[in-house]
Amino acid sequence: MTLRVIIAILFYTVQASAQCTATVTCSGQCSCGTGSGTSSGTIDTGYSNNWGCYWTIASSGTISLQFFRFSLETNYDYGTVTSNVQLCRASNVNGCWGPYTSTTGTLSVSLTADYSVLGSGIGASWSVQCAQNCAAGYTGTTSCTACATGKYKT
């Protein structure tokens, strides 16, 4: 009994310290933002005429994204959020504020502009979180304290 408890505590400690990370890739006329290789970051950019940029956040965990700035030329410049399907496409300050959550492995953001008139651009914060497997036989929760006390046995 004592050995089983010690093994469960060791397993719990290792799993609780595991951190989920994401890779951010981009293409077009922009930088990839911050946070690639970590568990959170930002995409924040102004833009120019005839401009396009595409960001993809990839992770084995749950990806969350929330815009803090969305200012584009109405009906001509577009921001889009996709995760296997288009979640939002908008062209003004009433746009894609979110929050958005993806469990498909990727969440993508794009910004495209026509030849005239500009807004100030877009800005978004993103993060990833992985489900934790705590003690042997306990999965599907992000609260290892609850796992260890036996509340989430599968």
Side-chain angles (χ1 to χ4, degrees):
M1 174 71 175
T2 304
L3 181 58
R4 187 176 190 195
V5 171
I6 291 170
I7 291 170
I9 290 170
L10 288 173
F11 186 79
Y12 163 74
T13 303
V14 169
Q15 290 298 316
S17 65
Q19 186 177 33
C20 196
T21 62
T23 302
V24 180
T25 57
C26 60
S27 61
Q29 302 156 303
C30 59
S31 71
C32 287
T34 64
S36 190
T38 66
S39 62
S40 63
T42 59
I43 296 169
D44 193 9
T45 188
Y47 67 107
S48 303
N49 292 325
N50 299 311
W51 201 78
C53 189
Y54 310 90
W55 298 266
T56 299
I57 304 163
S59 177
S60 60
T62 300
I63 305 165
S64 300
L65 181 128
Q66 174 81 49
F67 284 92
F68 54 83
R69 181 166 53 105
F70 200 98
S71 175
L72 307 175
E73 179 192 14
T74 301
N75 298 323
Y76 296 98
D77 301 342
Y78 286 91
T80 306
V81 179
T82 58
S83 176
N84 286 351
V85 297
Q86 184 172 291
L87 302 174
C88 182
R89 181 172 187 258
S91 69
N92 61 30
V93 295
N94 296 320
C96 299
W97 291 101
Y100 299 97
T101 303
S102 174
T103 57
T104 65
T106 61
L107 187 69
S108 298
V109 176
S110 68
L111 172 56
T112 56
D114 72 347
Y115 62 92
S116 67
V117 185
L118 300 171
S120 64
I122 61 170
S125 297
W126 61 265
S127 64
V128 294
Q129 184 172 5
C130 286
Q132 296 176 344
N133 296 321
C134 301
Y138 296 88
T139 60
T141 179
T142 57
S143 172
C144 281
T145 302
C147 286
T149 60
K151 293 182 180 177
Y152 293 100
K153 188 172 183 178
T154 56

CSV table of all heavy atoms in Angstrom, one decimal, residues 86-136:
chain,number,residue,atom,x,y,z
A,86,GLN,N,-13.8,27.6,-41.0
A,86,GLN,CA,-13.8,29.1,-40.8
A,86,GLN,C,-14.6,29.4,-39.5
A,86,GLN,O,-15.8,29.1,-39.5
A,86,GLN,CB,-14.3,29.9,-42.0
A,86,GLN,CG,-14.1,31.4,-41.8
A,86,GLN,CD,-14.5,32.1,-43.1
A,86,GLN,OE1,-13.7,32.0,-44.1
A,86,GLN,NE2,-15.6,32.8,-43.1
A,87,LEU,N,-14.0,30.0,-38.5
A,87,LEU,CA,-14.7,30.4,-37.3
A,87,LEU,C,-15.2,31.8,-37.4
A,87,LEU,O,-16.3,32.1,-36.8
A,87,LEU,CB,-13.8,30.2,-36.1
A,87,LEU,CG,-13.3,28.8,-35.9
A,87,LEU,CD1,-12.3,28.8,-34.7
A,87,LEU,CD2,-14.4,27.8,-35.6
A,88,CYS,N,-14.5,32.7,-38.1
A,88,CYS,CA,-14.9,34.1,-38.2
A,88,CYS,C,-14.2,34.7,-39.4
A,88,CYS,O,-13.0,34.4,-39.7
A,88,CYS,CB,-14.5,34.8,-36.9
A,88,CYS,SG,-15.1,36.6,-37.0
A,89,ARG,N,-14.9,35.6,-40.1
A,89,ARG,CA,-14.3,36.4,-41.1
A,89,ARG,C,-14.9,37.8,-41.0
A,89,ARG,O,-16.1,37.9,-41.1
A,89,ARG,CB,-14.5,35.9,-42.5
A,89,ARG,CG,-13.8,36.7,-43.6
A,89,ARG,CD,-14.0,36.0,-45.0
A,89,ARG,NE,-13.2,36.7,-46.0
A,89,ARG,CZ,-13.8,37.5,-46.9
A,89,ARG,NH1,-15.1,37.7,-46.9
A,89,ARG,NH2,-13.0,38.1,-47.8
A,90,ALA,N,-14.1,38.8,-40.7
A,90,ALA,CA,-14.7,40.1,-40.5
A,90,ALA,C,-13.8,41.2,-41.0
A,90,ALA,O,-12.6,41.0,-41.3
A,90,ALA,CB,-14.9,40.4,-39.0
A,91,SER,N,-14.3,42.4,-41.2
A,91,SER,CA,-13.6,43.5,-41.8
A,91,SER,C,-13.7,44.8,-41.1
A,91,SER,O,-13.5,45.9,-41.6
A,91,SER,CB,-14.0,43.7,-43.3
A,91,SER,OG,-15.3,44.2,-43.3
A,92,ASN,N,-14.1,44.8,-39.8
A,92,ASN,CA,-14.2,46.1,-39.1
A,92,ASN,C,-14.1,45.9,-37.6
A,92,ASN,O,-13.9,44.7,-37.1
A,92,ASN,CB,-15.5,46.8,-39.4
A,92,ASN,CG,-16.8,46.0,-39.1
A,92,ASN,OD1,-16.7,45.2,-38.1
A,92,ASN,ND2,-17.8,46.1,-39.8
A,93,VAL,N,-14.3,46.9,-36.8
A,93,VAL,CA,-14.1,46.8,-35.4
A,93,VAL,C,-15.1,46.0,-34.7
A,93,VAL,O,-14.9,45.6,-33.5
A,93,VAL,CB,-14.0,48.2,-34.7
A,93,VAL,CG1,-12.8,49.0,-35.2
A,93,VAL,CG2,-15.3,49.0,-35.0
A,94,ASN,N,-16.2,45.6,-35.4
A,94,ASN,CA,-17.1,44.6,-34.8
A,94,ASN,C,-16.7,43.2,-35.0
A,94,ASN,O,-17.5,42.3,-34.8
A,94,ASN,CB,-18.5,44.9,-35.3
A,94,ASN,CG,-19.1,46.2,-35.0
A,94,ASN,OD1,-18.9,46.7,-33.8
A,94,ASN,ND2,-19.7,46.9,-35.9
A,95,GLY,N,-15.5,43.0,-35.5
A,95,GLY,CA,-15.0,41.8,-36.0
A,95,GLY,C,-14.8,40.6,-35.1
A,95,GLY,O,-15.7,40.4,-34.2
A,96,CYS,N,-13.8,39.9,-35.3
A,96,CYS,CA,-13.6,38.5,-34.7
A,96,CYS,C,-12.9,38.6,-33.3
A,96,CYS,O,-11.8,38.1,-33.1
A,96,CYS,CB,-12.7,37.7,-35.6
A,96,CYS,SG,-13.3,37.4,-37.2
A,97,TRP,N,-13.6,39.2,-32.3
A,97,TRP,CA,-13.0,39.4,-31.0
A,97,TRP,C,-12.7,38.1,-30.3
A,97,TRP,O,-11.8,38.0,-29.5
A,97,TRP,CB,-13.9,40.3,-30.2
A,97,TRP,CG,-13.8,41.7,-30.7
A,97,TRP,CD1,-14.8,42.3,-31.5
A,97,TRP,CD2,-12.8,42.7,-30.6
A,97,TRP,NE1,-14.4,43.6,-31.8
A,97,TRP,CE2,-13.2,43.8,-31.3
A,97,TRP,CE3,-11.5,42.7,-29.9
A,97,TRP,CZ2,-12.4,45.0,-31.3
A,97,TRP,CZ3,-10.7,43.8,-30.0
A,97,TRP,CH2,-11.2,44.9,-30.7
A,98,GLY,N,-13.6,37.1,-30.4
A,98,GLY,CA,-13.4,35.8,-29.7
A,98,GLY,C,-14.0,35.8,-28.4
A,98,GLY,O,-14.8,36.7,-28.0
A,99,PRO,N,-13.7,34.9,-27.5
A,99,PRO,CA,-12.5,34.0,-27.6
A,99,PRO,C,-12.8,32.8,-28.6
A,99,PRO,O,-13.9,32.4,-28.8
A,99,PRO,CB,-12.3,33.5,-26.2
A,99,PRO,CG,-13.7,33.5,-25.6
A,99,PRO,CD,-14.4,34.7,-26.3
A,100,TYR,N,-11.7,32.2,-29.1
A,100,TYR,CA,-11.7,31.0,-29.9
A,100,TYR,C,-10.9,29.9,-29.2
A,100,TYR,O,-9.9,30.2,-28.6
A,100,TYR,CB,-11.2,31.3,-31.3
A,100,TYR,CG,-11.9,32.4,-32.0
A,100,TYR,CD1,-11.5,33.7,-32.0
A,100,TYR,CD2,-13.1,32.1,-32.6
A,100,TYR,CE1,-12.3,34.7,-32.5
A,100,TYR,CE2,-13.9,33.1,-33.2
A,100,TYR,CZ,-13.5,34.4,-33.2
A,100,TYR,OH,-14.2,35.4,-33.7
A,101,THR,N,-11.4,28.7,-29.4
A,101,THR,CA,-10.7,27.5,-28.8
A,101,THR,C,-10.7,26.5,-29.8
A,101,THR,O,-11.7,26.2,-30.5
A,101,THR,CB,-11.5,27.0,-27.5
A,101,THR,OG1,-11.6,28.1,-26.6
A,101,THR,CG2,-10.8,25.9,-26.9
A,102,SER,N,-9.5,25.8,-30.0
A,102,SER,CA,-9.4,24.7,-30.9
A,102,SER,C,-8.7,23.5,-30.3
A,102,SER,O,-7.7,23.6,-29.5
A,102,SER,CB,-8.5,25.2,-32.1
A,102,SER,OG,-8.2,24.1,-32.9
A,103,THR,N,-9.3,22.3,-30.5
A,103,THR,CA,-8.7,21.1,-30.1
A,103,THR,C,-8.3,20.2,-31.3
A,103,THR,O,-8.0,19.1,-31.2
A,103,THR,CB,-9.7,20.3,-29.2
A,103,THR,OG1,-10.9,20.1,-30.0
A,103,THR,CG2,-10.0,21.0,-27.9
A,104,THR,N,-8.2,20.9,-32.5
A,104,THR,CA,-7.9,20.1,-33.7
A,104,THR,C,-6.4,20.0,-34.0
A,104,THR,O,-6.0,19.4,-35.0
A,104,THR,CB,-8.5,20.8,-35.0
A,104,THR,OG1,-7.9,22.1,-35.1
A,104,THR,CG2,-10.0,21.0,-34.8
A,105,GLY,N,-5.6,20.7,-33.2
A,105,GLY,CA,-4.1,20.7,-33.4
A,105,GLY,C,-3.6,22.0,-34.0
A,105,GLY,O,-2.4,22.3,-33.9
A,106,THR,N,-4.5,22.8,-34.7
A,106,THR,CA,-4.1,24.1,-35.2
A,106,THR,C,-5.2,25.1,-35.1
A,106,THR,O,-6.4,24.8,-35.0
A,106,THR,CB,-3.7,24.0,-36.7
A,106,THR,OG1,-4.8,23.6,-37.4
A,106,THR,CG2,-2.5,23.1,-37.0
A,107,LEU,N,-4.8,26.4,-35.0
A,107,LEU,CA,-5.6,27.5,-35.1
A,107,LEU,C,-4.9,28.5,-35.9
A,107,LEU,O,-3.8,28.8,-35.7
A,107,LEU,CB,-5.9,28.1,-33.7
A,107,LEU,CG,-7.0,29.2,-33.6
A,107,LEU,CD1,-8.4,28.6,-33.9
A,107,LEU,CD2,-7.0,29.8,-32.2
A,108,SER,N,-5.6,29.0,-37.0
A,108,SER,CA,-5.0,29.9,-37.9
A,108,SER,C,-5.6,31.3,-38.0
A,108,SER,O,-6.9,31.4,-37.8
A,108,SER,CB,-5.0,29.3,-39.3
A,108,SER,OG,-4.3,28.1,-39.4
A,109,VAL,N,-4.8,32.3,-38.2
A,109,VAL,CA,-5.3,33.7,-38.3
A,109,VAL,C,-4.7,34.2,-39.6
A,109,VAL,O,-3.6,34.0,-39.9
A,109,VAL,CB,-4.8,34.5,-37.1
A,109,VAL,CG1,-5.3,36.0,-37.3
A,109,VAL,CG2,-5.4,34.0,-35.8
A,110,SER,N,-5.6,35.0,-40.3
A,110,SER,CA,-5.0,35.6,-41.5
A,110,SER,C,-5.5,37.1,-41.5
A,110,SER,O,-6.5,37.4,-41.0
A,110,SER,CB,-5.5,34.9,-42.8
A,110,SER,OG,-6.9,35.0,-43.0
A,111,LEU,N,-4.7,37.9,-42.2
A,111,LEU,CA,-5.1,39.3,-42.5
A,111,LEU,C,-4.7,39.6,-43.9
A,111,LEU,O,-3.6,39.4,-44.3
A,111,LEU,CB,-4.3,40.2,-41.5
A,111,LEU,CG,-4.4,41.7,-41.7
A,111,LEU,CD1,-5.8,42.2,-41.7
A,111,LEU,CD2,-3.6,42.4,-40.7
A,112,THR,N,-5.7,40.1,-44.7
A,112,THR,CA,-5.5,40.5,-46.0
A,112,THR,C,-6.1,41.9,-46.3
A,112,THR,O,-7.1,42.2,-45.7
A,112,THR,CB,-6.1,39.5,-47.0
A,112,THR,OG1,-7.5,39.4,-46.7
A,112,THR,CG2,-5.5,38.1,-46.9
A,113,ALA,N,-5.4,42.6,-47.1
A,113,ALA,CA,-5.7,44.0,-47.4
A,113,ALA,C,-5.8,44.3,-48.9
A,113,ALA,O,-5.0,43.7,-49.7
A,113,ALA,CB,-4.8,45.0,-46.7
A,114,ASP,N,-6.7,45.2,-49.3
A,114,ASP,CA,-6.7,45.7,-50.7
A,114,ASP,C,-5.7,46.8,-50.9
A,114,ASP,O,-4.8,47.0,-50.1
A,114,ASP,CB,-8.2,46.0,-51.0
A,114,ASP,CG,-8.6,47.4,-50.4
A,114,ASP,OD1,-7.9,47.9,-49.5
A,114,ASP,OD2,-9.6,47.9,-50.8
A,115,TYR,N,-5.9,47.6,-51.9
A,115,TYR,CA,-5.0,48.6,-52.4
A,115,TYR,C,-5.1,50.0,-51.7
A,115,TYR,O,-4.3,50.8,-52.0
A,115,TYR,CB,-5.1,48.7,-53.9
A,115,TYR,CG,-6.4,49.2,-54.4
A,115,TYR,CD1,-6.7,50.6,-54.5
A,115,TYR,CD2,-7.4,48.4,-54.6
A,115,TYR,CE1,-7.9,51.1,-54.9
A,115,TYR,CE2,-8.7,48.8,-55.0
A,115,TYR,CZ,-8.9,50.2,-55.2
A,115,TYR,OH,-10.1,50.6,-55.5
A,116,SER,N,-6.1,50.2,-50.9
A,116,SER,CA,-6.3,51.5,-50.3
A,116,SER,C,-6.9,51.5,-48.9
A,116,SER,O,-7.5,50.5,-48.6
A,116,SER,CB,-7.1,52.4,-51.3
A,116,SER,OG,-8.5,51.9,-51.3
A,117,VAL,N,-6.8,52.5,-48.2
A,117,VAL,CA,-7.4,52.8,-46.9
A,117,VAL,C,-7.0,51.7,-45.9
A,117,VAL,O,-7.2,50.5,-46.2
A,117,VAL,CB,-9.0,52.9,-46.9
A,117,VAL,CG1,-9.5,53.3,-45.6
A,117,VAL,CG2,-9.4,54.0,-47.9
A,118,LEU,N,-6.6,52.1,-44.7
A,118,LEU,CA,-6.1,51.1,-43.7
A,118,LEU,C,-6.7,51.4,-42.4
A,118,LEU,O,-7.0,52.5,-42.0
A,118,LEU,CB,-4.5,51.2,-43.6
A,118,LEU,CG,-3.7,51.0,-44.8
A,118,LEU,CD1,-2.3,51.4,-44.6
A,118,LEU,CD2,-3.8,49.6,-45.3
A,119,GLY,N,-6.8,50.3,-41.6
A,119,GLY,CA,-7.1,50.4,-40.2
A,119,GLY,C,-5.8,50.3,-39.4
A,119,GLY,O,-4.7,50.3,-40.0
A,120,SER,N,-5.9,50.1,-38.1
A,120,SER,CA,-4.6,50.0,-37.4
A,120,SER,C,-4.1,48.6,-37.3
A,120,SER,O,-3.0,48.4,-36.8
A,120,SER,CB,-4.8,50.6,-36.0
A,120,SER,OG,-5.8,49.9,-35.2
A,121,GLY,N,-4.9,47.6,-37.7
A,121,GLY,CA,-4.4,46.2,-37.7
A,121,GLY,C,-5.1,45.3,-36.7
A,121,GLY,O,-6.2,45.6,-36.2
A,122,ILE,N,-4.4,44.2,-36.3
A,122,ILE,CA,-5.0,43.3,-35.4
A,122,ILE,C,-4.0,42.9,-34.3
A,122,ILE,O,-2.8,43.1,-34.5
A,122,ILE,CB,-5.4,42.0,-36.1
A,122,ILE,CG1,-4.2,41.3,-36.7
A,122,ILE,CG2,-6.5,42.2,-37.1
A,122,ILE,CD1,-4.5,39.8,-37.2
A,123,GLY,N,-4.5,42.5,-33.2
A,123,GLY,CA,-3.7,42.1,-32.1
A,123,GLY,C,-4.4,41.0,-31.3
A,123,GLY,O,-5.6,41.1,-31.1
A,124,ALA,N,-3.8,39.9,-31.0
A,124,ALA,CA,-4.4,38.8,-30.3
A,124,ALA,C,-3.4,38.1,-29.3
A,124,ALA,O,-2.2,38.0,-29.6
A,124,ALA,CB,-5.0,37.8,-31.3
A,125,SER,N,-4.0,37.6,-28.2
A,125,SER,CA,-3.2,36.8,-27.3
A,125,SER,C,-3.6,35.4,-27.5
A,125,SER,O,-4.8,35.1,-27.6
A,125,SER,CB,-3.5,37.2,-25.8
A,125,SER,OG,-3.0,38.6,-25.6
A,126,TRP,N,-2.7,34.5,-27.4
A,126,TRP,CA,-3.0,33.0,-27.5
A,126,TRP,C,-2.3,32.3,-26.4
A,126,TRP,O,-1.3,32.7,-25.8
A,126,TRP,CB,-2.6,32.5,-28.9
A,126,TRP,CG,-1.2,32.5,-29.2
A,126,TRP,CD1,-0.5,33.5,-29.9
A,126,TRP,CD2,-0.2,31.6,-28.8
A,126,TRP,NE1,0.8,33.3,-29.9
A,126,TRP,CE2,1.1,32.1,-29.3
A,126,TRP,CE3,-0.2,30.4,-28.0
A,126,TRP,CZ2,2.3,31.4,-29.1
A,126,TRP,CZ3,1.0,29.8,-27.8
A,126,TRP,CH2,2.2,30.2,-28.3
A,127,SER,N,-2.9,31.1,-26.1
A,127,SER,CA,-2.3,30.2,-25.1
A,127,SER,C,-2.7,28.8,-25.4
A,127,SER,O,-3.6,28.5,-26.1
A,127,SER,CB,-2.7,30.6,-23.7
A,127,SER,OG,-4.1,30.4,-23.5
A,128,VAL,N,-1.9,27.8,-24.8
A,128,VAL,CA,-2.2,26.4,-25.0
A,128,VAL,C,-2.3,25.8,-23.6
A,128,VAL,O,-1.5,26.2,-22.7
A,128,VAL,CB,-1.3,25.7,-25.9
A,128,VAL,CG1,-1.4,26.2,-27.3
A,128,VAL,CG2,0.2,25.8,-25.4
A,129,GLN,N,-3.1,24.8,-23.5
A,129,GLN,CA,-3.2,24.0,-22.2
A,129,GLN,C,-3.4,22.6,-22.6
A,129,GLN,O,-4.2,22.2,-23.4
A,129,GLN,CB,-4.3,24.5,-21.4
A,129,GLN,CG,-4.4,23.8,-20.0
A,129,GLN,CD,-5.4,24.5,-19.1
A,129,GLN,OE1,-6.1,25.4,-19.5
A,129,GLN,NE2,-5.4,24.0,-17.9
A,130,CYS,N,-2.6,21.7,-22.0
A,130,CYS,CA,-2.7,20.3,-22.2
A,130,CYS,C,-3.5,19.6,-21.0
A,130,CYS,O,-3.3,20.0,-19.9
A,130,CYS,CB,-1.4,19.6,-22.3
A,130,CYS,SG,-0.6,20.0,-23.9
A,131,ALA,N,-4.3,18.6,-21.3
A,131,ALA,CA,-4.8,17.8,-20.3
A,131,ALA,C,-3.7,17.1,-19.6
A,131,ALA,O,-2.7,16.7,-20.2
A,131,ALA,CB,-5.8,16.8,-20.9
A,132,GLN,N,-3.8,16.9,-18.3
A,132,GLN,CA,-2.8,16.2,-17.6
A,132,GLN,C,-3.2,14.8,-17.1
A,132,GLN,O,-4.4,14.7,-16.7
A,132,GLN,CB,-2.4,17.1,-16.3
A,132,GLN,CG,-1.8,18.4,-16.7
A,132,GLN,CD,-1.5,19.2,-15.5
A,132,GLN,OE1,-2.0,19.0,-14.5
A,132,GLN,NE2,-0.7,20.3,-15.7
A,133,ASN,N,-2.4,13.9,-17.2
A,133,ASN,CA,-2.6,12.6,-16.7
A,133,ASN,C,-1.9,12.5,-15.3
A,133,ASN,O,-0.7,12.5,-15.3
A,133,ASN,CB,-2.1,11.5,-17.6
A,133,ASN,CG,-2.8,11.5,-18.9
A,133,ASN,OD1,-4.0,11.7,-18.9
A,133,ASN,ND2,-2.1,11.3,-20.0
A,134,CYS,N,-2.6,12.5,-14.3
A,134,CYS,CA,-2.0,12.7,-13.0
A,134,CYS,C,-1.5,11.3,-12.4
A,134,CYS,O,-0.5,10.9,-12.7
A,134,CYS,CB,-3.0,13.4,-12.0
A,134,CYS,SG,-3.5,15.0,-12.7
A,135,ALA,N,-2.3,10.7,-11.6
A,135,ALA,CA,-1.9,9.4,-11.0
A,135,ALA,C,-2.4,8.3,-11.9
A,135,ALA,O,-3.3,8.5,-12.7
A,135,ALA,CB,-2.5,9.3,-9.6
A,136,ALA,N,-1.8,7.2,-11.8
A,136,ALA,CA,-2.2,6.0,-12.7
A,136,ALA,C,-3.7,5.8,-12.6
A,136,ALA,O,-4.2,5.7,-11.5
A,136,ALA,CB,-1.4,4.8,-12.3
